[in-house]
Amino acid sequence: MTVIVRPARPGEEGDIVRLIRALAIYEHEPDAVKISEEALRGHLFNDHPRIFAHVAEAEGRVVGIAVWFLNFSTWTGKHGLYLEDLFVEPEMRGAGVARALFKALAEEAKARDCPRIDWAVLDWNELGKGLYRKLGAWHNAEWEPWRLDGAALKALQD
Amino acid sequence: MTVIVRPARPGEEGDIVRLIRALAIYEHEPDAVKISEEALRGHLFNDHPRIFAHVAEAEGRVVGIAVWFLNFSTWTGKHGLYLEDLFVEPEMRGAGVARALFKALAEEAKARDCPRIDWAVLDWNELGKGLYRKLGAWHNAEWEPWRLDGAALKALQD
């Protein structure tokens, strides 16, 4: 089986949203996905995109996705790649699709002079973490993710 | 004492880098800051900036900074604000400067239809966490930050 990884093209928003949903189901959050194909299209395909997607294609079908954007480090003074979503269809696992997606992202990082790829994984997701460890990635455990949203965010806006 | 929070202006890169360095010292990483004023200027002040800064001014001096960029959620389909660095000079603490910076970011979030502000804090930084709790922020503990960099990243690029 040949797997091709390449930047997503206009018209593939449906496949991407399908796999975003499949990932959310895997993450036990089936109702979390509010994004529409139209909104995704507007974000991905414009003159100055702030988000990007790669797809993995096998036998003419999209079987995996990586959705990412550029973050920034005030220490390095450089952008990094932030991987928001990575997903490979369950029936396609074990064939190197996720690794091929990471390889494409690593090449994007090189082309953009980004010294890091960062992402977040659910603490119970040992399947994901096993793959990440094989790639040589590490859990940046001393930094805690914090969030302000909902009523607390609104309170600051009044 | 009057504190004014506003977007940073060209010419303030020196103040911003000074406070980025002060934050790195507070975080026990005094040698981590490689960013130059020139690089920061290029990132902040161009036609399509990917990073942004607010400054807090008191008595005609920059005494606090917030450096941020836009992240993206495939669940909400919206950008969020990611706060990369927040710092207030030690002698200015307790006067509401950090809160005023958060308020300005909350207003930016509203203007840009961003439902969240996210950031990371070092696990031992109770001073920071105390402030964040007062604002109603929360530790998004189930998501672990992971990173691919250095030799492991290079290995994927060959």
Side-chain angles (χ1 to χ4, degrees), chain A residues 12-82:
Chain A
E12 293 180 327
E13 303 84 10
D15 281 312
I16 298 169
V17 171
R18 173 175 60 82
L19 295 184
I20 288 171
R21 279 187 206 286
L23 174 56
I25 291 166
Y26 174 73
E27 291 174 337
H28 309 160
E29 292 281 356
D31 301 321
V33 180
K34 311 294 179 199
I35 195 169
S36 68
E37 291 182 30
E38 210 176 334
L40 182 65
R41 185 180 315 128
H43 281 288
L44 286 175
F45 306 113
N46 64 68
D47 289 344
H48 300 285
R50 291 184 182 279
I51 71 164
F52 306 87
H54 277 68
V55 299
E57 195 185 295
E59 292 158 10
R61 272 190 346 107
V62 172
V63 299
I65 55 163
V67 181
W68 54 279
F69 56 81
L70 294 172
N71 63 8
F72 187 79
S73 164
T74 46
W75 289 4
T76 65
K78 296 180 179 184
H79 288 294
L81 255 65
Y82 189 90

Coordinates of all heavy atoms in Angstrom, one line a residue, chain A residues 12-82:
Chain A
E12 N -11.4 19.2 0.1 CA -11.2 18.1 1.1 C -11.6 18.4 2.5 O -11.3 17.6 3.4 CB -9.7 17.7 1.1 CG -9.3 17.1 -0.3 CD -7.8 16.7 -0.4 OE1 -7.0 17.3 0.2 OE2 -7.5 15.7 -1.1
E13 N -12.3 19.5 2.6 CA -12.8 19.9 4.0 C -13.7 18.8 4.6 O -13.7 18.6 5.8 CB -13.6 21.2 3.9 CG -12.9 22.4 3.3 CD -13.0 22.4 1.8 OE1 -13.8 21.6 1.2 OE2 -12.3 23.2 1.2
G14 N -14.5 18.1 3.7 CA -15.4 17.1 4.2 C -14.6 15.9 4.8 O -15.0 15.5 5.9
D15 N -13.6 15.5 4.2 CA -12.7 14.4 4.7 C -12.1 14.9 6.0 O -12.0 14.1 7.0 CB -11.6 14.1 3.7 CG -12.2 13.2 2.6 OD1 -12.9 12.2 2.9 OD2 -11.9 13.5 1.4
I16 N -11.6 16.1 6.0 CA -10.9 16.6 7.2 C -11.9 16.6 8.4 O -11.6 16.2 9.5 CB -10.2 17.9 6.9 CG1 -9.2 17.7 5.8 CG2 -9.6 18.5 8.2 CD1 -8.6 19.1 5.3
V17 N -13.1 17.2 8.2 CA -14.0 17.3 9.3 C -14.5 15.9 9.7 O -14.6 15.6 10.9 CB -15.3 18.2 8.9 CG1 -16.4 18.1 10.0 CG2 -14.8 19.6 8.7
R18 N -14.6 15.0 8.8 CA -14.9 13.6 9.1 C -13.9 13.0 10.1 O -14.2 12.3 11.1 CB -15.0 12.7 7.8 CG -15.1 11.2 8.0 CD -15.3 10.5 6.7 NE -14.2 10.6 5.7 CZ -13.1 9.9 5.8 NH1 -12.9 9.0 6.7 NH2 -12.2 10.1 4.8
L19 N -12.6 13.3 9.8 CA -11.6 12.7 10.7 C -11.4 13.5 12.0 O -11.0 12.9 13.0 CB -10.2 12.6 9.9 CG -10.3 11.5 8.7 CD1 -9.0 11.4 8.0 CD2 -10.8 10.2 9.2
I20 N -11.7 14.8 11.9 CA -11.7 15.6 13.2 C -12.8 15.0 14.1 O -12.6 14.8 15.3 CB -12.0 17.1 12.9 CG1 -10.8 17.8 12.3 CG2 -12.4 17.8 14.2 CD1 -11.1 19.2 11.8
R21 N -13.9 14.6 13.5 CA -15.0 14.0 14.3 C -14.6 12.6 14.9 O -14.9 12.3 16.0 CB -16.3 13.8 13.5 CG -17.1 15.1 13.4 CD -18.4 14.8 12.6 NE -18.9 16.0 12.0 CZ -19.4 17.0 12.7 NH1 -19.6 17.0 14.0 NH2 -19.8 18.1 12.1
A22 N -14.0 11.9 14.0 CA -13.5 10.5 14.4 C -12.5 10.6 15.6 O -12.6 9.8 16.5 CB -12.9 9.8 13.2
L23 N -11.7 11.6 15.5 CA -10.7 11.8 16.6 C -11.5 12.2 17.9 O -11.2 11.7 19.0 CB -9.7 12.9 16.3 CG -8.7 13.3 17.3 CD1 -7.9 12.1 17.9 CD2 -7.7 14.4 16.8
A24 N -12.5 13.1 17.8 CA -13.2 13.5 19.0 C -14.0 12.3 19.6 O -14.1 12.2 20.8 CB -14.2 14.6 18.6
I25 N -14.5 11.4 18.8 CA -15.1 10.2 19.3 C -14.1 9.4 20.0 O -14.3 8.9 21.2 CB -15.8 9.4 18.1 CG1 -17.0 10.2 17.6 CG2 -16.2 8.0 18.6 CD1 -17.5 9.7 16.3
Y26 N -12.9 9.2 19.4 CA -11.8 8.4 20.1 C -11.5 9.1 21.4 O -11.2 8.4 22.4 CB -10.6 8.4 19.2 CG -9.4 7.8 19.8 CD1 -9.3 6.4 20.0 CD2 -8.3 8.6 20.2 CE1 -8.2 5.8 20.6 CE2 -7.2 8.0 20.8 CZ -7.1 6.6 21.0 OH -6.0 6.1 21.6
E27 N -11.6 10.4 21.5 CA -11.2 11.2 22.7 C -12.4 11.3 23.7 O -12.3 12.0 24.7 CB -10.7 12.5 22.4 CG -9.3 12.4 21.7 CD -8.8 13.8 21.1 OE1 -9.6 14.7 20.9 OE2 -7.6 13.9 20.9
H28 N -13.5 10.5 23.4 CA -14.7 10.5 24.3 C -15.4 11.8 24.3 O -16.0 12.2 25.3 CB -14.3 10.1 25.7 CG -13.5 8.8 25.8 ND1 -12.8 8.5 26.9 CD2 -13.3 7.8 24.9 CE1 -12.2 7.3 26.7 NE2 -12.5 6.9 25.5
E29 N -15.3 12.6 23.3 CA -16.0 13.9 23.2 C -16.7 14.0 21.9 O -16.5 15.0 21.1 CB -14.9 15.1 23.3 CG -14.2 15.2 24.7 CD -15.1 15.8 25.7 OE1 -16.2 16.3 25.4 OE2 -14.6 15.9 26.9
P30 N -17.7 13.1 21.6 CA -18.3 13.0 20.3 C -19.1 14.3 20.0 O -19.2 14.6 18.8 CB -19.3 11.9 20.4 CG -19.4 11.6 21.9 CD -18.1 12.0 22.5
D31 N -19.5 15.1 21.0 CA -20.3 16.3 20.7 C -19.5 17.5 20.7 O -20.1 18.6 20.6 CB -21.5 16.4 21.7 CG -22.4 15.1 21.7 OD1 -22.6 14.6 20.6 OD2 -22.8 14.7 22.8
A32 N -18.2 17.4 20.9 CA -17.4 18.6 21.0 C -17.2 19.4 19.7 O -16.9 20.5 19.7 CB -16.0 18.3 21.6
V33 N -17.3 18.6 18.6 CA -16.9 19.2 17.3 C -18.0 20.1 16.7 O -19.1 19.6 16.3 CB -16.6 18.1 16.2 CG1 -16.2 18.8 14.9 CG2 -15.4 17.3 16.8
K34 N -17.8 21.4 16.7 CA -18.8 22.4 16.2 C -18.4 23.0 14.9 O -19.1 23.7 14.2 CB -18.9 23.6 17.2 CG -19.1 23.2 18.7 CD -20.4 22.5 18.9 CE -20.6 22.1 20.4 NZ -21.6 21.1 20.5
I35 N -17.1 22.7 14.5 CA -16.6 23.3 13.2 C -17.4 22.8 12.0 O -17.8 21.7 11.9 CB -15.1 23.0 13.1 CG1 -14.5 23.9 12.0 CG2 -14.8 21.5 12.7 CD1 -13.0 23.9 12.0
S36 N -17.7 23.7 11.1 CA -18.4 23.4 9.8 C -17.3 23.3 8.7 O -16.2 23.8 8.8 CB -19.4 24.5 9.5 OG -18.7 25.6 9.1
E37 N -17.7 22.5 7.7 CA -16.8 22.4 6.5 C -16.5 23.8 6.0 O -15.4 24.1 5.5 CB -17.4 21.6 5.4 CG -17.5 20.1 5.8 CD -18.1 19.2 4.7 OE1 -17.9 19.6 3.5 OE2 -18.8 18.2 5.1
E38 N -17.6 24.6 5.9 CA -17.4 26.0 5.4 C -16.4 26.8 6.2 O -15.6 27.5 5.6 CB -18.8 26.7 5.4 CG -19.0 27.7 4.4 CD -20.5 28.2 4.4 OE1 -21.3 27.4 4.9 OE2 -20.7 29.3 4.0
A39 N -16.5 26.8 7.5 CA -15.6 27.5 8.4 C -14.2 27.0 8.2 O -13.3 27.8 8.0 CB -16.0 27.4 9.8
L40 N -14.0 25.7 8.1 CA -12.7 25.1 7.9 C -12.1 25.6 6.6 O -10.9 26.0 6.5 CB -12.8 23.6 8.0 CG -11.4 22.9 7.8 CD1 -10.5 23.2 9.0 CD2 -11.6 21.4 7.7
R41 N -12.9 25.6 5.5 CA -12.5 26.0 4.2 C -12.0 27.5 4.3 O -10.9 27.8 3.8 CB -13.6 25.9 3.2 CG -13.2 26.2 1.8 CD -14.4 26.1 0.8 NE -15.2 24.8 1.1 CZ -16.5 24.8 1.3 NH1 -17.3 25.9 1.3 NH2 -17.1 23.6 1.6
G42 N -12.7 28.3 4.9 CA -12.3 29.7 5.0 C -11.0 29.9 5.8 O -10.2 30.7 5.4
H43 N -10.8 29.1 6.8 CA -9.6 29.2 7.6 C -8.4 28.6 6.8 O -7.3 29.1 6.9 CB -9.7 28.4 8.9 CG -10.5 29.2 10.0 ND1 -9.9 30.3 10.6 CD2 -11.7 29.0 10.5 CE1 -10.8 30.7 11.5 NE2 -11.9 30.0 11.4
L44 N -8.6 27.5 6.1 CA -7.4 26.8 5.4 C -7.0 27.5 4.1 O -5.8 27.5 3.8 CB -7.8 25.4 5.1 CG -7.8 24.4 6.3 CD1 -8.3 23.0 5.8 CD2 -6.5 24.2 6.9
F45 N -8.0 28.0 3.4 CA -7.8 28.4 2.0 C -8.1 29.9 1.9 O -9.2 30.3 1.5 CB -8.5 27.5 1.0 CG -8.3 26.0 1.2 CD1 -9.3 25.2 1.7 CD2 -7.0 25.5 1.0 CE1 -9.0 23.8 1.9 CE2 -6.8 24.2 1.2 CZ -7.8 23.3 1.7
N46 N -7.1 30.7 2.2 CA -7.2 32.1 2.0 C -5.8 32.7 1.7 O -4.8 31.9 1.8 CB -7.9 32.8 3.2 CG -7.1 32.7 4.4 OD1 -6.0 33.2 4.6 ND2 -7.5 31.9 5.4
D47 N -5.6 34.0 1.5 CA -4.3 34.5 1.2 C -3.3 34.5 2.3 O -2.1 34.5 2.1 CB -4.5 35.9 0.6 CG -5.1 35.9 -0.7 OD1 -5.2 34.9 -1.4 OD2 -5.6 37.0 -1.2
H48 N -3.8 34.5 3.5 CA -2.9 34.5 4.7 C -3.3 33.6 5.7 O -3.8 34.0 6.8 CB -2.8 36.0 5.3 CG -2.3 36.9 4.3 ND1 -1.0 37.0 3.9 CD2 -2.9 37.9 3.5 CE1 -0.8 38.0 3.0 NE2 -2.0 38.5 2.8
P49 N -3.3 32.3 5.4 CA -3.9 31.3 6.4 C -3.1 31.3 7.7 O -1.9 31.4 7.7 CB -3.7 29.9 5.6 CG -2.6 30.2 4.6 CD -2.7 31.6 4.2
R50 N -3.9 31.1 8.8 CA -3.3 30.9 10.1 C -3.4 29.4 10.5 O -2.8 29.1 11.6 CB -4.0 31.8 11.1 CG -3.8 33.2 10.9 CD -4.4 34.1 12.0 NE -4.3 35.5 11.8 CZ -3.2 36.1 12.2 NH1 -2.2 35.5 12.7 NH2 -3.1 37.4 11.9
I51 N -4.1 28.6 9.8 CA -4.1 27.2 10.1 C -3.8 26.4 8.8 O -4.1 26.9 7.7 CB -5.3 26.7 10.8 CG1 -6.5 26.6 9.9 CG2 -5.6 27.5 12.1 CD1 -7.7 25.8 10.5
F52 N -3.3 25.2 8.9 CA -2.9 24.4 7.8 C -3.3 22.9 8.0 O -3.5 22.5 9.2 CB -1.3 24.5 7.7 CG -0.8 25.9 7.6 CD1 -0.6 26.6 8.8 CD2 -0.6 26.5 6.4 CE1 -0.1 27.9 8.8 CE2 -0.1 27.8 6.4 CZ 0.1 28.5 7.6
A53 N -3.4 22.2 6.9 CA -3.7 20.8 7.1 C -2.9 20.0 6.1 O -2.7 20.4 4.9 CB -5.2 20.5 6.9
H54 N -2.4 18.8 6.5 CA -1.9 17.8 5.6 C -2.8 16.6 5.6 O -3.4 16.3 6.7 CB -0.5 17.3 6.1 CG 0.6 18.3 5.6 ND1 0.7 19.5 6.1 CD2 1.6 18.1 4.7 CE1 1.8 20.1 5.5 NE2 2.4 19.2 4.7
V55 N -2.9 15.9 4.5 CA -3.7 14.7 4.5 C -2.8 13.5 4.1 O -1.8 13.7 3.4 CB -4.9 14.8 3.5 CG1 -5.8 15.9 3.9 CG2 -4.4 15.0 2.1
A56 N -3.1 12.4 4.5 CA -2.5 11.1 4.1 C -3.5 10.4 3.2 O -4.6 10.2 3.6 CB -2.1 10.2 5.3
E57 N -3.0 10.1 2.0 CA -3.9 9.5 1.0 C -3.4 8.1 0.7 O -2.2 7.8 0.5 CB -3.8 10.3 -0.3 CG -4.8 10.1 -1.3 CD -4.5 10.9 -2.6 OE1 -4.5 12.2 -2.5 OE2 -4.3 10.3 -3.6
A58 N -4.4 7.1 0.7 CA -4.0 5.7 0.4 C -5.2 5.2 -0.5 O -6.3 5.4 -0.2 CB -3.9 4.9 1.6
E59 N -4.8 4.6 -1.6 CA -5.8 4.0 -2.5 C -6.8 5.1 -2.9 O -8.0 4.8 -2.9 CB -6.4 2.8 -1.9 CG -5.4 1.6 -1.8 CD -5.8 0.6 -0.7 OE1 -6.9 0.6 -0.2 OE2 -4.9 -0.3 -0.5
G60 N -6.4 6.3 -3.1 CA -7.3 7.4 -3.6 C -8.2 7.9 -2.5 O -9.1 8.7 -2.8
R61 N -8.0 7.6 -1.3 CA -8.8 8.0 -0.2 C -8.0 8.8 0.9 O -6.8 8.4 1.1 CB -9.5 6.8 0.5 CG -10.8 6.5 -0.1 CD -11.6 5.4 0.7 NE -10.8 4.8 1.8 CZ -11.0 5.1 3.1 NH1 -11.9 6.0 3.5 NH2 -10.3 4.4 4.0
V62 N -8.6 9.8 1.5 CA -8.0 10.4 2.7 C -8.2 9.5 3.9 O -9.3 9.3 4.3 CB -8.6 11.8 2.9 CG1 -8.1 12.4 4.2 CG2 -8.3 12.7 1.7
V63 N -7.1 9.0 4.5 CA -7.1 8.1 5.6 C -6.5 8.7 6.9 O -6.5 8.0 7.9 CB -6.5 6.7 5.2 CG1 -7.2 6.1 4.1 CG2 -5.0 6.9 5.0
G64 N -5.9 9.8 6.7 CA -5.3 10.5 7.9 C -5.1 12.0 7.7 O -5.1 12.4 6.6
I65 N -5.1 12.7 8.8 CA -5.0 14.2 8.7 C -4.0 14.7 9.8 O -3.9 14.0 10.9 CB -6.3 14.9 8.9 CG1 -7.0 14.4 10.3 CG2 -7.2 14.7 7.8 CD1 -8.1 15.4 10.8
A66 N -3.4 15.8 9.5 CA -2.7 16.6 10.5 C -3.1 18.0 10.3 O -3.0 18.6 9.2 CB -1.2 16.5 10.4
V67 N -3.7 18.6 11.4 CA -4.1 20.0 11.3 C -3.2 20.8 12.2 O -3.0 20.4 13.4 CB -5.6 20.2 11.7 CG1 -6.0 21.7 11.6 CG2 -6.5 19.3 10.9
W68 N -2.6 21.9 11.8 CA -1.6 22.5 12.6 C -1.6 24.0 12.3 O -2.2 24.5 11.4 CB -0.2 21.9 12.2 CG 0.2 21.9 10.8 CD1 -0.2 21.0 9.8 CD2 1.0 22.9 10.1 NE1 0.3 21.3 8.6 CE2 1.1 22.5 8.7 CE3 1.7 24.0 10.5 CZ2 1.8 23.2 7.8 CZ3 2.4 24.7 9.6 CH2 2.5 24.3 8.2
F69 N -0.9 24.7 13.2 CA -0.7 26.2 13.0 C 0.7 26.5 13.5 O 1.4 25.7 14.1 CB -1.8 27.0 13.7 CG -2.0 26.7 15.2 CD1 -1.2 27.3 16.1 CD2 -3.0 25.8 15.6 CE1 -1.4 27.0 17.5 CE2 -3.2 25.6 17.0 CZ -2.3 26.2 17.9
L70 N 1.1 27.8 13.4 CA 2.4 28.2 13.9 C 2.2 28.8 15.3 O 1.4 29.8 15.5 CB 3.0 29.3 12.9 CG 3.3 28.7 11.5 CD1 3.7 29.9 10.6 CD2 4.4 27.7 11.6
N71 N 3.0 28.3 16.2 CA 3.0 29.0 17.5 C 4.3 29.9 17.5 O 4.9 30.1 16.5 CB 3.0 28.0 18.7 CG 4.1 27.0 18.7 OD1 5.1 27.1 18.0 ND2 4.0 26.0 19.6
F72 N 4.7 30.3 18.7 CA 5.9 31.2 18.7 C 6.6 31.1 20.1 O 5.9 31.0 21.1 CB 5.5 32.7 18.5 CG 6.7 33.6 18.4 CD1 7.4 33.7 17.2 CD2 7.1 34.4 19.4 CE1 8.5 34.5 17.1 CE2 8.2 35.2 19.3 CZ 8.9 35.3 18.1
S73 N 7.9 31.0 20.1 CA 8.6 31.0 21.4 C 9.4 32.3 21.5 O 10.2 32.7 20.7 CB 9.6 29.9 21.4 OG 10.6 30.1 22.4
T74 N 9.1 33.0 22.6 CA 9.9 34.3 22.9 C 11.3 33.9 23.3 O 12.2 34.8 23.4 CB 9.3 35.1 24.0 OG1 8.9 34.2 25.1 CG2 8.0 35.8 23.5
W75 N 11.6 32.6 23.6 CA 13.0 32.3 24.0 C 13.8 32.0 22.7 O 14.9 32.6 22.5 CB 13.0 31.0 24.8 CG 12.5 31.2 26.2 CD1 12.0 32.4 26.7 CD2 12.5 30.3 27.3 NE1 11.7 32.3 28.0 CE2 12.0 31.0 28.4 CE3 12.8 29.0 27.4 CZ2 11.8 30.4 29.7 CZ3 12.7 28.3 28.7 CH2 12.1 29.0 29.8
T76 N 13.3 31.2 21.8 CA 14.0 31.0 20.5 C 13.9 32.2 19.5 O 14.7 32.3 18.7 CB 13.5 29.7 19.8 OG1 12.2 29.9 19.3 CG2 13.6 28.5 20.7
G77 N 12.8 32.9 19.7 CA 12.6 34.0 18.7 C 12.0 33.4 17.4 O 12.0 34.1 16.4
K78 N 11.6 32.2 17.4 CA 11.2 31.5 16.2 C 9.8 30.9 16.4 O 9.3 30.6 17.5 CB 12.1 30.4 15.8 CG 13.5 30.9 15.5 CD 14.5 29.8 15.1 CE 15.8 30.4 14.8 NZ 16.8 29.3 14.3
H79 N 9.1 30.8 15.2 CA 7.9 30.0 15.2 C 8.2 28.5 15.4 O 9.3 28.1 15.1 CB 7.1 30.2 13.9 CG 6.5 31.5 13.7 ND1 5.5 32.0 14.5 CD2 6.8 32.5 12.8 CE1 5.1 33.2 14.1 NE2 5.9 33.5 13.1
G80 N 7.2 27.8 15.9 CA 7.2 26.4 16.0 C 6.0 25.9 15.3 O 5.0 26.6 15.1
L81 N 5.9 24.6 15.0 CA 4.7 24.0 14.5 C 3.9 23.5 15.7 O 4.4 22.7 16.6 CB 5.0 22.8 13.6 CG 4.8 23.1 12.1 CD1 5.8 24.1 11.6 CD2 4.9 21.8 11.3
Y82 N 2.6 23.8 15.8 CA 1.7 23.3 16.8 C 0.7 22.4 16.1 O 0.0 22.8 15.2 CB 1.0 24.4 17.6 CG 0.3 23.7 18.8 CD1 0.9 23.6 20.0 CD2 -1.0 23.2 18.6 CE1 0.3 23.0 21.1 CE2 -1.6 22.6 19.7 CZ -1.0 22.5 20.9 OH -1.6 21.8 22.0

